[in-house]
Amino acid sequence: MLILTTVLTTGALTLTACGSRDDKGTTGGGGGGGGAKTKVVIGVDAPFSGDLSALGLGIRNSADLAIKTANKNNTVPGVEFVAQPLDDQGQPNVGQQNAAKFISDKKVVGVVGPLNSSISQVMQKPFTDAKLTQVSPANTGTELTQGDGWKTGNKKRPFNAFFRTATTDQVQGAFAAKYLKETKKIDKVYLMDDQKTYGAGLAASFKDQFTKLGGKIVGEDHVVPEERDFNSIVTKVKKSGAKALYYGGEYPAAGPLSQQLKDSGTKIPLMGGDGIYSADFLKLNKKAEGDFATSVGKPVEQLESAKKFIADYKAGGYKEDYEAYGGGTYDATWSIIEAVKIAVANNSGKVPDDLRPKVLESMAKVKFDGVTGPVSFDEFGDTTNTMMTAYEVEKGKWAPKFSEAYKP
């Protein structure tokens, strides 16, 4: 059967034919140790094309690097890991089709991704029904792990196959509100979101915490993210007296929105979440100076634990940057690798015939020191690492300003 394997050719992924999971073969370059290996596939789902491809390609490459590293180091004796990346184009219907493809291929024991919470919503049930582990480095919608009742304190995990290395919108939105109100001393904010699961959830969390801290929301609006003319909304913001604009959404719309705001003569910053923390936000916005973003974890460049990841990524020759989710993606991929290692160890060192459900069972025992710090999951499948960082655009670059292990 034709599947995607990770062969490095200037960072690209190429197609290679290989047999079913029962077939044995010698490891390719970097497999470690020689001898027969069982091929174990890890799926990767993210947008590799379209507006959000910068983030998606960083996810693809970082997962690829983790898999190459595991093979090189013979992390799980007797196993050769293979990546199967599928482009969801940032569209839930495509993500749903990708989920079906992963499920139908019995060699796939885990899936890394997706980027968008709205795509996870259509993946979670089929993955759980198939006992196929999913670990997202980017999904922050709180309801994905804690159910729709989380706002009233009625937390209930809806799908036990879903895990994430990114913290929730509840944490991120509240952290942004605290930073803007208490550190930047901004007390009047205009609130916008793109009506998607991620953006709306982030804006709601921001609003709740900002008003609790005594801040005032002077206006609210929704945008259609595919549009790029925001002048009518900019006029409302200008008249509102807002001292900042908080946007729940992603960089393809946030960049033009920020620039049009500045072009109107309204010299106030735009702030958003990890969906705008991208180099592409700066490419789309010639007047981004002074804008803010939050992102999960500490900047990997500041972490001792990330030095090898950064060096290996550079040495790997990937054409695209690892972007906001590189470290978290490596850790998400490695958590599946660790679960495979546990499942094999519990089966007297042999790959179980029913590896897929055994990997899911093993996820509760996964605990290791990752690129982003200690990695483990709580009873909801959420990361136990709630570190957040606030960034500001300075001299055309995102500069980290403040990091905190934050709990609302």
Side-chain angles (χ1 to χ4, degrees):
M1 181 177 181
L2 196 66
I3 62 173
L4 287 168
T5 63
T6 52
V7 179
L8 183 63
T9 54
T10 61
L13 298 171
T14 60
L15 286 166
T16 303
C18 73
S20 68
R21 200 180 72 80
D22 292 328
D23 292 341
K24 305 290 184 179
T26 57
T27 52
K37 297 278 186 177
T38 300
K39 295 185 186 295
V40 172
V41 180
I42 297 177
V44 184
D45 180 275
F48 309 142
S49 60
D51 287 343
L52 296 171
S53 60
L55 296 176
L57 291 168
I59 289 173
R60 184 196 69 182
N61 296 345
S62 299
D64 178 64
L65 178 60
I67 288 169
K68 281 191 170 72
T69 302
N71 288 337
K72 180 180 179 181
N73 296 339
N74 199 28
T75 299
V76 185
V79 169
E80 179 184 1
F81 290 99
V82 179
Q84 184 177 3
L86 295 179
D87 179 6
D88 64 30
Q89 303 170 35
Q91 302 297 324
N93 63 318
V94 180
Q96 192 169 32
Q97 294 167 17
N98 290 351
K101 291 177 183 177
F102 289 132
I103 291 168
S104 66
D105 184 350
K106 300 305 180 184
K107 299 179 297 298
V108 178
V109 300
V111 176
V112 176
L115 170 69
N116 303 90
S117 292
S118 57
I119 294 177
S120 246
Q121 286 180 320
V122 302
M123 289 182 160
Q124 285 180 300
K125 187 180 187 304
F127 280 157
T128 297
D129 290 344
K131 297 182 180 180
L132 180 57
T133 302
Q134 175 190 3
V135 189
S136 173
N139 294 161
T140 54
T142 309
E143 67 280 1
L144 295 175
T145 49
Q146 299 175 26
D148 293 332
W150 71 268
K151 291 181 181 178
T152 59
N154 182 25
K155 297 180 180 180
K156 185 178 180 181
R157 188 177 185 180
F159 301 106
N160 66 6
F162 179 80
F163 301 81
R164 55 178 157 201
T165 54
T167 194
T168 67
D169 288 336
Q170 179 190 16
V171 172
Q172 183 170 197
F175 172 78
K178 179 185 176 186
Y179 181 77
L180 211 57
K181 179 68 170 60
E182 296 187 351
T183 302
K184 304 308 293 185
K185 307 301 181 184
I186 290 175
D187 58 1
K188 293 180 180 179
V189 169
Y190 200 101
L191 189 67
M192 287 188 199
D193 70 71
D194 62 2
Q195 306 175 75
K196 295 182 182 180
T197 303
Y198 163 74
L202 198 60
S205 176
F206 176 90
K207 179 181 178 180
D208 182 59
Q209 185 68 8
F210 191 69
T211 53
K212 281 182 181 178
L213 293 172
K216 184 178 180 181
I217 302 297
V218 295
E220 295 185 54
D221 238 311
H222 307 289
V223 302
V224 177
E226 290 75 23
E227 295 181 0
R228 295 294 182 267
D229 184 353
F230 302 112
N231 286 309
S232 61
I233 292 177
V234 164
T235 300
K236 294 181 186 179
V237 177
K238 194 172 183 178
K239 291 179 179 179
S240 72
K243 297 179 182 178
L245 167 63
Y246 187 83
Y247 178 68
E250 296 150 331
Y251 65 82
L257 174 60
S258 174
Q259 178 153 331
Q260 289 171 37
L261 188 66
K262 312 296 196 310
D263 287 342
S264 76
T266 308
K267 306 297 183 182
I268 64 172
L270 179 143
M271 186 178 198
D274 50 343
I276 80 166
Y277 175 57
S278 168
D280 277 30
F281 174 81
L282 308 178
K283 294 176 184 177
L284 294 168
N285 182 6
K286 303 301 182 185
K287 298 184 178 181
E289 197 75 9
D291 284 347
F292 302 106
T294 55
S295 191
V296 295
K298 264 192 169 185
V300 293
E301 295 80 9
Q302 294 183 0
L303 295 172
E304 185 70 27
S305 57
K307 284 186 175 181
K308 188 175 187 306
F309 163 74
I310 295 171
D312 288 349
Y313 194 96
K314 184 176 181 180
Y318 298 105
K319 292 186 293 184
E320 304 87 8
D321 191 8
Y322 49 77
E323 285 281 350
Y325 305 110
T329 297
Y330 191 100
D331 288 346
T333 310
W334 204 264
S335 70
I336 296 173
I337 292 167
E338 285 290 319
V340 171
K341 185 177 181 179
I342 293 168
V344 170
N346 289 341
N347 193 49
S348 303
K350 298 179 181 179
V351 178
D353 291 333
D354 57 343
L355 182 57
R356 181 183 285 183
K358 294 299 184 185
V359 167
L360 181 56
E361 289 175 16
S362 300
M363 285 297 292
K365 301 175 184 177
V366 167
K367 188 174 184 180
F368 62 95
D369 291 328
V371 170
T372 59
V375 177
S376 61
F377 306 98
D378 66 15
E379 68 270 28
F380 299 103
D382 283 326
T383 176
T384 55
N385 185 350
T386 60
M387 184 67 67
M388 295 295 309
T389 299
Y391 296 83
E392 183 174 353
V393 179
E394 286 186 346
K395 298 179 180 178
K397 294 182 179 179
W398 286 112
K401 290 297 180 180
F402 177 72
S403 296
E404 179 182 24
Y406 184 75
K407 292 186 178 181

